[in-house]
């Protein structure tokens, strides 16, 4: 099993390769105008300290995103409103309710599809930004042993899983459980848990809450993303779920159709994917470029 440190080295290497590849391309990213050059000395296409962007981002981006936003502000003067970090489904529902948004980044293609179908985002600006892994975590120092997904059925204690209707990590977790017969729907929602775990499952409003349930000892294990191990103290990877046990974990980003700062929003998305220092931050927190 790969350790967190080895994964960090791998992801950092992947980001370095991505930067090199981007430097050799003549075309820009999703932003309007000329793309921001990669590197700490590069400047973005939009430079206006009167612009403030409202970002809605998947909860698992809560630690990395503020650092990337600070970089963008330093280079452009563009500032950010109070970025919202919630379950992707909750973010889309807020947009349906009329919340002002410039950028949406979700933790699943399905939730971005929902936003697209509701005409909440500009389809032309949509791009897959990051990928992640689904892992089963335990408290640091715990003697809980997980050698396969089905081992959660024999764990002495509760199992933290995100509420699948709002938290993509919960849906991925249920898909993984379905792959071994512990959940009745391959889609990851609308099904029932096997009797062996039904009384153990504790649903969380965010993937970060699931991680905290494990770190505090309220749950013996939990299903979260690899990146969450970088975000929270007190948890460690017990098992990495096979990629084929769930749908691909992809983070799409797009500009909101109602954005009054569409050019800056698109430029920020490009910055996230192209700036050397931004790429280093994503790597530090366990995200790989899609």
């Amino acid at each position: 099993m790969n350790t967190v440190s080895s994964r960090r080295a791998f992801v950092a290497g992947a980001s370095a390769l991505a930067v090199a590849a981007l430097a050799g391309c003549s075309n820009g990213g999703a932003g309007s105008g000329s793309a921001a050059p990669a590197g700490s000395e590069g400047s973005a296409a939009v430079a206006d300290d009167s612009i403030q962007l409202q970002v809605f981002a998947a909860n698992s981006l809560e630690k990395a995103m503020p650092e990337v936003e600070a970089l963008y502000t330093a280079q452009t003067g563009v500032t950010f409103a109070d970025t919202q970090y919630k379950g992707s489904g909750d973010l889309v529902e807020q947009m349906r309710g009329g919340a002002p948004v410039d950028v949406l980044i979700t933790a699943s293609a399905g939730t971005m599809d929902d936003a697209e179908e509701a005409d909440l985002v500009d389809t032309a600006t949509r791009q897959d930004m990051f990928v992640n892994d689904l892992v089963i975590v335990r408290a640091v120092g715990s003697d809980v042993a997980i050698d396969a997904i089905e081992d959660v059925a024999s764990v002495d204690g509760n199992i933290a899983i995100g509420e699948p209707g709002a938290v993509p990590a919960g849906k991925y977790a249920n898909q993984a459980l379905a792959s071994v017969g512990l959940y009745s729907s391959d889609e990851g929602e609308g099904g029932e848990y096997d009797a062996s775990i039904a009384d153990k499952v504790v649903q969380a409003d965010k993937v970060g809450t699931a991680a905290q349930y494990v770190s505090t000892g309220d749950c013996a294990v939990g299903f979260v993303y690899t990146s969450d191990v970088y975000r929270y103290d007190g948890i460690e990877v017990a098992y990495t779920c096979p990629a084929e046990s769930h749908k691909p974990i992809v983070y799409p980003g797009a500009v909101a159709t109602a954005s009054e700062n569409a050019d800056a929003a698109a430029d920020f998305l490009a910055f996230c994917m192209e700036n050397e220092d931004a790429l280093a931050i994503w790597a530090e927190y366990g995200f790989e470029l899609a």
Side-chain angles (χ1 to χ4, degrees):
M1 182 185 301
N2 291 334
T3 63
V4 167
S5 59
S6 65
R7 178 174 174 79
R8 178 173 295 175
F10 171 80
V11 176
S15 292
L17 289 174
V19 172
L22 285 162
C25 293
S26 60
N27 62 314
S32 299
S34 58
S40 57
E41 300 303 318
S43 60
V46 175
D48 188 339
D49 59 9
S50 69
I51 294 175
Q52 185 177 67
L53 294 176
Q54 176 66 70
V55 176
F56 274 23
N59 176 249
S60 46
L61 296 169
E62 186 176 16
K63 295 292 185 180
M65 182 63 76
E67 296 185 23
V68 175
E69 290 177 346
L71 281 178
Y72 191 72
T73 296
Q75 290 201 19
T76 68
V78 173
T79 59
F80 294 85
D82 184 20
T83 298
Q84 298 297 297
Y85 302 103
K86 296 182 179 180
S88 299
D90 287 338
L91 295 176
V92 172
E93 285 306 307
Q94 282 188 251
M95 293 178 71
R96 290 182 192 273
V101 184
D102 295 299
V103 173
L104 173 67
I105 304 175
T106 68
S108 75
T111 46
M112 186 61 78
D113 289 344
D114 291 341
E116 194 172 319
E117 290 169 6
D119 197 29
L120 298 173
V121 295
D122 180 355
T123 301
T125 66
R126 177 174 173 170
Q127 59 182 303
D128 289 341
M129 299 179 68
F130 314 110
V131 295
N132 217 326
D133 293 324
L134 181 71
V135 296
I136 301 173
V137 294
R138 63 193 174 201
V140 171
S142 168
D143 59 1
V144 171
I146 303 291
D147 296 313
I149 297 169
E150 53 265 38
D151 288 350
V152 299
S154 59
V155 166
D156 182 16
N158 290 327
I159 305 165
I161 296 176
E163 197 285 304
V167 184
K171 187 179 292 186
Y172 295 129
N174 287 347
Q175 291 167 1
L177 290 169
S179 74
V180 296
L182 294 178
Y183 190 73
S184 63
S185 170
D186 292 337
E187 291 301 311
E189 61 179 334
E192 296 182 354
Y193 294 104
D194 183 78
S196 62
I197 65 169
D199 292 337
K200 297 181 179 182
V201 172
V202 175
Q203 293 192 336
D205 63 339
K206 298 179 291 188
V207 65
T209 304
Q212 291 174 329
Y213 285 162
V214 177
S215 67
T216 59
D218 292 317
C219 291
V221 296
F223 286 83
V224 301
Y225 300 126
T226 297
S227 57
D228 293 310
V229 181
Y230 296 80
R231 294 203 295 149
Y232 295 99
D233 295 331
I235 60 173
E236 62 185 14
V237 176
Y239 180 76
T240 300
C241 298
E244 62 271 16
S245 69
H246 55 81
K247 292 182 178 180
I249 300 172
V250 179
Y251 289 66
V255 176
T257 53
S259 173
E260 297 181 356
N261 303 294
D263 287 345
D267 190 74
F268 175 65
L269 286 175
F271 178 89
C272 287
M273 303 296 293
E274 297 173 12
N275 180 272
E276 182 178 355
D277 293 330
L279 292 172
I281 291 170
W282 301 127
E284 180 183 354
Y285 286 96
F287 293 98
E288 293 181 59
L289 288 179

